[in-house]
Structures are given as C-alpha cells and as structure tokens.
Amino acid sequence: MKKQAIFLFLSICLFITETTFSQEIAATDQDIQVTELFSKNDPIPVKLRYSNKVLRKETNDSTYIESEISYMTSDESWDTLAVKIRARGNYRRENCYFPPVKMKIKKSETAGTLFEGNKKLKLVLPCVLQNDYNDKVLKEYIAYKLYELVSPYHFKTRLLNIDFTDEKGQKVKNFIVKGFFIEDIDRVKDRCDGKQIKRSVHPLQQNDLCSVRNDFFQFMIGNTDYSLAYRHNEKLLFVDGNILPVPYDFDMSGLVDASYAVVSQVQGEVLSIEEVTQRLYRGFKRNPEVYQTVRKEFLNNKSKMLTIINDLESSFEDPKEFSKARRFINEFFEVIANDNTYRKEILGVARLK
C-alpha cells in the first residue's frame, strides 16, 4: 500500500510538471516574435569580401575588422550594410579555410532593412576545401531545423547562397559557397521572455523534459560534442522558473560526418565509441515517464523531420550526401521505435554521474 501511495504521488508530481511546462511551451509559441531575417526558409543570395588570413590573425573575442555584406532584397535589387566581423570558434578557427564568423551590425544600419532587430549574428561557412563542403554545411543547417521541432527554445537560422571573395594581397580568389546565419542568444532569450544563465548548472537541476529532449536530439544526430554540465556547445536560459538548454554547433556530429570530425572528449572523458557515426546516448537517468513522453514526441514528429530533410534534397550537390543524411536520421527512429533497442541504447546507458 505504501509503495502504491508513493507511486501515485510521483505520478501526480510528474503530471503537474508536464502540464505546467506544456502550458509554458504553448505560451512561448504564441508569444514568439521572430525578426524578418529568420521568418522565412528560402536562401538569401549574399556577397562577402574580406581576407580569411587577416580575419584569423587580426581578430579575437574583442577585436573586429571593418567589412560589409551585400544581399539581394525582395525586389531582386542589392543592398549593402557596413558590418564588423571577427573569427570565432576554437577548432574551426585554427583549422578551417573559412573560419566561422561573428558579425556585428549597428542598429542605425539595420533600420528598415531585412536585418532589422539583429545587432549580432553568427555566420557558419564550409570548413575545408573539399568537393562536399557545401553539403556538410547543409547537414549542419538541417540539424538546427530539426531542433526547432524538438523544443521552442532554439536558435533560428537562415540559409545563404554566398558569393565570397577572399582577398590575398593584390590577388583575389572567388568561391560560391553555402552558409547560414544563426541568431544571437539575446534574440532567443528575448523571444522566450527569459534570461541567460552564465554559470554551470548540473543537468539534473535543469528542466527534465527539455533536457531529455536535448539528449534525444543529440543522440539522433550522433553528437557527443556537448555537455549540459559544462555548458559546452550549450546555452542555458531561465524561463518561468525552469533552467533550459539551447544547443548549437553540430559540425562534429555523425549526421554531418565532417572529414575532420572526431569523437569528443569533453573535460578529458574518453568515450566508448571510435567514430562520430556511432551513436552514444549521453543523457542522465530521470523518471522513466519523462523518457517515454519524449520518445512519443520524437516518433510523432518523424514525418515532419523527414520532410525537413526531403525539402532540401535539390540543394545537395551530391545525392549520396542527401541519402546518407536521411538514412542516418531514419536509423535513429528505428532505435526508438523498437522496445529492445530503445532500452538497450538509451534507457540502459543513461548516466548516473
């Protein structure tokens, strides 16, 4: 009888938590205010011109260089904005031909333009000069779009077709590449009416549902290059009494399968897999009902997720890269749809510490 009472109490607590958080999510969805830049999915043609060498050598977290961005407007004319840019990231900054970029734009420059409301942006570019570099960018972009279905607490992105001129002294080199913008975390927190947390918070002190959603997502894309405990490739928001993870940077995932990708060793922890295309669940043990709720959410969203991938098929330069991406995500759904593999690969390996 005592055990039944405890079980009933826990079930009621879980129901209250789920109901409250579901209501909070619904409210967030209703209050979303997305800037024009991130309100559509069609790619924006843009032109960039700067020196990759100068960007790497002469910028840091606080030092930017002057540049400009030209973009095609809705009436197919071109507009140009003055911007400040710097290289960002650790590995990619040191090892990529195109270092990823942090961009700042003055409010006075963006007024009345497509960029209005965005003072800071991240720009993701291809890394290494290989035949499939544009397809790798597309697959990382897909990861961001998939997470939009997983959680209302996410970064918005916008795909770009970039005409890039790399200045090399008196010589220049031109590239046609794909990239995408990522909105700034300040836009995310304002949209969700929350605050950013800049200290470490143990995963078990973070909202159960949102954390498990995040862990399922990372398992789905085959990513171990993250840590909720150490805020590695994760931002934390405080919204209505909940601490919520917001993931980013998925280039080391099995979905992307970049040539430079290695299995992450966050804080020196050696994992049991050798290739990024091998999945390893990294979430913590929680109430099984939370896991079951998230499992059902993913299964219910399967067709929508596959539609996101299918809609970008024509954008891939190599059909094999598209097929690999679709197959990789399908393999995840095969795992969670089967009770045995679900218990073995997720519930059975959930972490205690």
Side-chain angles (χ1 to χ4, degrees), residues 67-71 79-83 105 109-111 113-115:
S67 188
E68 62 182 27
I69 180 171
S70 298
Y71 67 97
D79 198 358
T80 300
L81 299 179
V83 299
I105 316 173
E109 285 282 330
T110 65
T113 75
L114 175 65
F115 289 79

Side-chain angles (χ1 to χ4, degrees), residues 38-310:
F38 296 104
S39 64
K40 297 179 180 178
N41 292 323
D42 56 307
I44 306 171
V46 303
K47 296 178 182 179
L48 295 170
R49 185 186 182 100
Y50 56 81
S51 168
N52 274 323
K53 183 178 180 181
V54 171
L55 190 71
R56 272 192 292 264
K57 289 190 173 183
E58 298 185 13
T59 69
N60 52 45
D61 287 352
S62 58
T63 304
Y64 290 70
I65 61 173
E66 303 284 344
S67 188
E68 62 182 27
I69 180 171
S70 298
Y71 67 97
M72 185 175 288
T73 63
S74 58
D75 61 1
E76 297 188 356
S77 62
W78 287 87
D79 198 358
T80 300
L81 299 179
V83 299
K84 292 183 178 181
I85 60 175
R86 67 168 174 84
R88 66 175 183 86
N90 295 316
Y91 180 92
R92 282 193 274 192
R93 179 191 180 107
E94 296 296 326
N95 296 279
C96 293
Y97 182 88
F98 303 100
V101 172
K102 181 71 174 288
M103 183 179 292
K104 293 199 302 187
I105 316 173
K106 290 183 179 179
K107 185 177 181 179
S108 58
E109 285 282 330
T110 65
T113 75
L114 175 65
F115 289 79
E116 186 168 7
N118 293 280
K119 295 186 293 184
K120 292 180 286 185
L121 294 165
K122 288 182 179 180
L123 171 61
V124 176
L125 295 162
C127 178
V128 292
L129 293 177
Q130 295 177 331
N131 291 335
D132 60 358
Y133 62 65
N134 280 329
D135 289 344
K136 301 301 186 188
V137 170
L138 269 177
K139 289 196 281 187
E140 186 174 5
Y141 170 76
I142 283 173
Y144 281 93
K145 301 307 289 184
L146 293 178
Y147 196 71
E148 288 189 26
L149 288 177
V150 174
S151 170
Y153 309 101
H154 56 256
F155 288 99
K156 287 288 186 180
T157 53
R158 185 71 181 268
L159 195 61
L160 308 170
N161 292 326
I162 305 171
D163 183 339
F164 175 70
T165 301
D166 187 11
E167 298 176 338
K168 296 186 173 184
Q170 294 183 347
K171 297 181 179 181
V172 297
K173 194 167 185 179
N174 186 257
F175 300 89
I176 303 299
V177 300
K178 292 192 181 299
F180 59 91
F181 279 132
I182 306 173
E183 68 178 344
D184 188 70
I185 186 63
D186 287 341
R187 290 296 314 168
V188 182
K189 70 179 180 63
D190 290 347
R191 194 171 71 243
C192 300
D193 195 23
K195 296 180 180 179
Q196 184 182 359
I197 297 177
K198 297 184 179 181
R199 59 179 175 84
S200 295
V201 178
H202 193 280
L204 292 178
Q205 292 180 295
Q206 299 174 33
N207 179 271
D208 282 347
L209 279 174
C210 203
S211 295
V212 174
R213 287 175 180 137
N214 178 72
D215 292 327
F216 268 57
F217 165 77
Q218 302 283 9
F219 180 73
M220 177 176 70
I221 66 170
N223 190 38
T224 59
D225 190 32
Y226 80 103
S227 172
L228 293 182
Y230 298 104
R231 290 185 296 119
H232 176 62
N233 290 337
E234 297 277 354
K235 300 292 186 182
L236 293 180
L237 296 181
F238 185 76
V239 181
D240 289 346
N242 292 282
I243 299 174
L244 312 165
V246 186
Y248 61 96
D249 279 4
F250 310 123
D251 63 307
M252 290 288 188
S253 68
L255 172 63
V256 176
D257 195 20
S259 60
Y260 58 84
V262 295
V263 176
S264 179
Q265 297 183 8
V266 179
Q267 297 294 307
E269 182 181 8
V270 179
L271 303 182
S272 61
I273 57 175
E274 297 180 352
E275 304 290 339
V276 295
T277 50
Q278 296 175 279
R279 286 188 171 89
L280 178 65
Y281 186 73
R282 300 290 292 149
F284 280 75
K285 284 189 180 295
R286 300 175 192 264
N287 190 309
E289 291 302 317
V290 176
Y291 272 78
Q292 189 62 18
T293 296
V294 175
R295 181 190 185 190
K296 289 179 180 178
E297 288 177 353
F298 272 82
L299 289 171
N300 290 338
N301 274 326
K302 177 182 176 180
S303 61
K304 292 181 181 179
M305 290 184 172
L306 293 178
T307 295
I308 287 174
I309 300 173
N310 291 337

